């Protein structure tokens, strides 16, 4: 039995409208040496029938005997993978024809990188562009960004399977299971993002992450707490709550009082983050200064923000 270079895993649950396009985007790849592992988590729609309509020897299709949830389904797919490289894609997303080719070439050319994802485009259910997402690209920068939000497109992740398995990390049950895993892996593996838009992230009305966003934000708050604990960054429950809203809630209308409290917490993050020895101080300072400016520009005129920023910069001390 030939072992493929890449194993692509796709967890499936009630995405009959999207799964066909997802599979087509992978079967049409310019890179051909891969297996496509689909694990259906007891879908109640026609997802299974759509998958069965594809006839390609690279497809391996499995179905859970009972509904296990996203984390356990992803873990089962990982256990079934055989390839040197492990790629992921959600069943409602799709990719450009050269996605796998470019990621394999990148990892072959950069042996120091263990995991790479890509920039991506957010589109609606009709394929209309909503946002172009351009995340940081280098490992030091990406590690810093774990303190402030998601740094990877899950549908764009490709990693060295043996390196990943050696960490002992797996998906854990929760609404933000991917964000949780990437934040833990950032302290074991070196990340990179390819600066090309190779993934289309589909946002649709009844999507679980959209419909249950309040639960997803609560899960993300726990991820932030665990990351802060790992780095010995002290925080109060109020600081953690505000930090989560500032970075993950696009509709959050913060006040000047909120901004002052969060600015103090950013100084705490900087001092403790530098002291941890885990984070690059230059990238951490750049991230915090950039966010400080953007937050303040929403509430203060530009000339005043320039003065505030200079004062804030003087208060950031690297011990």
């Amino acid at each position: 039995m030939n072992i493929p270079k890449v194993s692509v895993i796709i967890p499936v649950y009630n995405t009959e409208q999207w799964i066909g396009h997802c599979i087509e985007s992978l079967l049409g790849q310019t890179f051909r040496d891969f297996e496509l592992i689909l694990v259906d988590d007891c879908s109640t729609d026609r997802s299974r029938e759509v998958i069965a309509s594809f006839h390609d020897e690279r497809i391996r299709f499995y179905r859970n005997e009972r509904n296990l949830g996203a984390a356990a389904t992803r873990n089962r797919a990982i256990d079934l993978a055989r390839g040197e490289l492990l790629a992921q894609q959600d069943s409602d997303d799709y990719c450009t024809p050269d996605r796998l080719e470019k990621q394999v070439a990148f990892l072959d050319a950069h042996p120091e990188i263990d995991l790479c994802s890509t920039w991506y485009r957010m589109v609606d259910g009709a394929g209309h562009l909503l946002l172009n997402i351009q995340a940081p690209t280098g490992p030091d920068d990406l590690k810093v960004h774990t303190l402030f939000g998601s740094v990877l497109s899950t549908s764009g992740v490709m990693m060295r399977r043996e390196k990943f398995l050696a960490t002992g990390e797996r998906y854990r049950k929760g609404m933000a299971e991917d964000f949780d895993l990437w934040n833990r892996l950032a302290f074991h593996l070196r990340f990179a993002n390819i600066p090309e838009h190779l993934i289309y992230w589909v946002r649709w009305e009844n999507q679980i992450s959209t419909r249950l966003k309040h639960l997803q934000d609560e899960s993300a708050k726990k991820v932030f707490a665990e990351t802060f604990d790992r780095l010995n960054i002290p925080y109060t429950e109020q600081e953690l709550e505000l930090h989560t809203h500032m970075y993950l809630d696009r509709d959050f209308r913060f006040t000047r009082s909120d901004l002052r409290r969060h600015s103090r917490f950013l100084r705490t993050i900087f001092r403790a983050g530098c002291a941890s020895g885990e984070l690059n101080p230059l990238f951490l300072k750049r991230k915090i200064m950039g966010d400080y400016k953007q937050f303040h520009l929403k509430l203060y005129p530009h000339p005043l923000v320039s003065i505030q920023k200079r004062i804030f910069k003087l208060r950031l001390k690297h011990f």
Side-chain angles (χ1 to χ4, degrees):
M1 181 181 296
N2 293 330
I3 302 300
K5 173 79 170 181
V6 179
S7 295
V8 183
I9 65 169
I10 302 179
V12 181
Y13 183 70
N14 287 352
T15 52
E16 63 173 328
Q17 185 176 352
W18 319 105
I19 184 61
H21 192 191
C22 173
I23 294 173
E24 287 172 355
S25 75
L26 288 161
L27 295 182
Q29 290 292 297
T30 54
F31 181 87
R32 307 286 295 173
D33 186 15
F34 68 91
E35 62 181 356
L36 181 55
I37 301 172
L38 299 112
V39 181
D40 179 64
D41 195 24
C42 298
S43 293
T44 57
D45 65 358
R46 294 187 64 258
S47 294
R48 186 177 183 179
E49 287 79 0
V50 174
I51 295 169
S53 70
F54 288 89
H55 304 284
D56 190 297
E57 62 182 8
R58 292 170 294 177
I59 294 177
R60 298 170 60 197
F61 178 52
Y62 303 86
R63 192 168 191 264
N64 294 337
E65 294 183 0
R66 59 184 178 84
N67 182 268
L68 300 177
T73 300
R74 292 182 192 275
N75 287 335
R76 184 186 180 197
I78 289 169
D79 289 337
L80 292 165
R82 301 172 297 161
E84 172 191 337
L85 301 175
L86 180 64
Q88 303 195 59
Q89 190 160 302
D90 285 345
S91 60
D92 47 1
D93 297 337
Y94 57 99
C95 57
T96 62
D98 55 355
R99 175 214 163 173
L100 297 183
E101 179 182 356
K102 288 189 172 181
Q103 288 190 282
V104 170
F106 179 87
L107 288 174
D108 284 348
H110 297 86
E112 76 283 2
I113 298 298
D114 306 305
L115 179 156
C116 75
S117 188
T118 81
W119 289 353
Y120 60 96
R121 304 187 195 280
M122 183 188 297
V123 297
D124 63 18
H128 299 133
L129 180 65
L130 301 176
L131 284 173
N132 283 318
I133 309 298
Q134 299 180 354
T137 57
D140 288 339
D141 208 0
L142 286 168
K143 194 172 185 180
V144 161
H145 276 68
T146 61
L147 278 67
F148 307 96
S150 182
V151 297
L152 302 172
S153 163
T154 296
S155 284
V157 163
M158 181 182 286
M159 53 188 168
R160 304 185 194 278
R161 185 168 65 92
E162 291 302 323
K163 284 286 190 74
F164 165 67
L165 294 177
T167 69
E169 301 287 2
R170 285 299 184 95
Y171 283 102
R172 300 188 299 197
K173 185 177 181 180
M175 282 297 299
E177 78 280 354
D178 47 356
F179 178 35
D180 171 42
L181 179 62
W182 310 140
N183 268 39
R184 285 181 283 123
L185 284 180
F187 294 90
H188 297 286
L189 305 178
R190 288 179 65 79
F191 291 179
N193 270 319
I194 297 176
E196 296 184 58
H197 296 90
L198 304 180
I199 296 294
Y200 291 87
W201 178 27
V202 181
R203 303 293 289 169
W204 44 286
E205 185 176 353
N206 203 36
Q207 200 168 30
I208 292 176
S209 59
T210 301
R211 181 161 39 88
L212 302 177
K213 186 180 183 304
H214 62 292
L215 295 178
Q216 190 171 41
D217 287 351
E218 191 63 29
S219 294
K221 185 171 74 170
K222 294 177 182 177
V223 175
F224 278 139
E226 186 170 326
T227 303
F228 293 152
D229 289 341
R230 178 190 291 271
L231 296 171
N232 293 315
I233 296 174
Y235 59 89
T236 66
E237 183 61 30
Q238 292 74 21
E239 287 171 333
L240 182 62
E241 182 81 17
L242 181 58
H243 185 78
T244 303
H245 281 303
M246 295 288 283
Y247 282 98
L248 299 184
D249 188 351
R250 293 183 180 181
D251 298 323
F252 181 55
R253 297 184 178 182
F254 53 87
T255 65
R256 291 187 176 187
S257 178
D258 291 330
L259 197 53
R260 286 193 295 272
R261 287 198 298 272
H262 191 252
S263 297
R264 289 194 293 270
F265 185 52
L266 288 178
R267 294 200 298 271
T268 298
I269 290 176
F270 180 74
R271 289 193 295 269
C274 290
S276 73
E278 288 275 5
L279 304 176
N280 184 309
L282 294 179
F283 285 101
L284 182 57
K285 187 172 188 178
R286 182 187 302 170
K287 169 64 175 168
I288 287 176
M289 290 300 302
D291 291 348
Y292 178 91
K293 179 179 179 180
Q294 292 303 313
F295 288 142
H296 278 70
L297 284 173
K298 293 182 179 181
L299 297 182
Y300 293 96
H302 194 281
L304 181 57
V305 171
S306 297
I307 297 172
Q308 292 171 325
K309 184 180 177 183
R310 285 196 292 270
I311 296 173
F312 182 74
K313 187 175 183 179
L314 291 173
R315 292 174 176 172
L316 291 185
K317 300 295 182 182
H318 175 211
F319 290 71

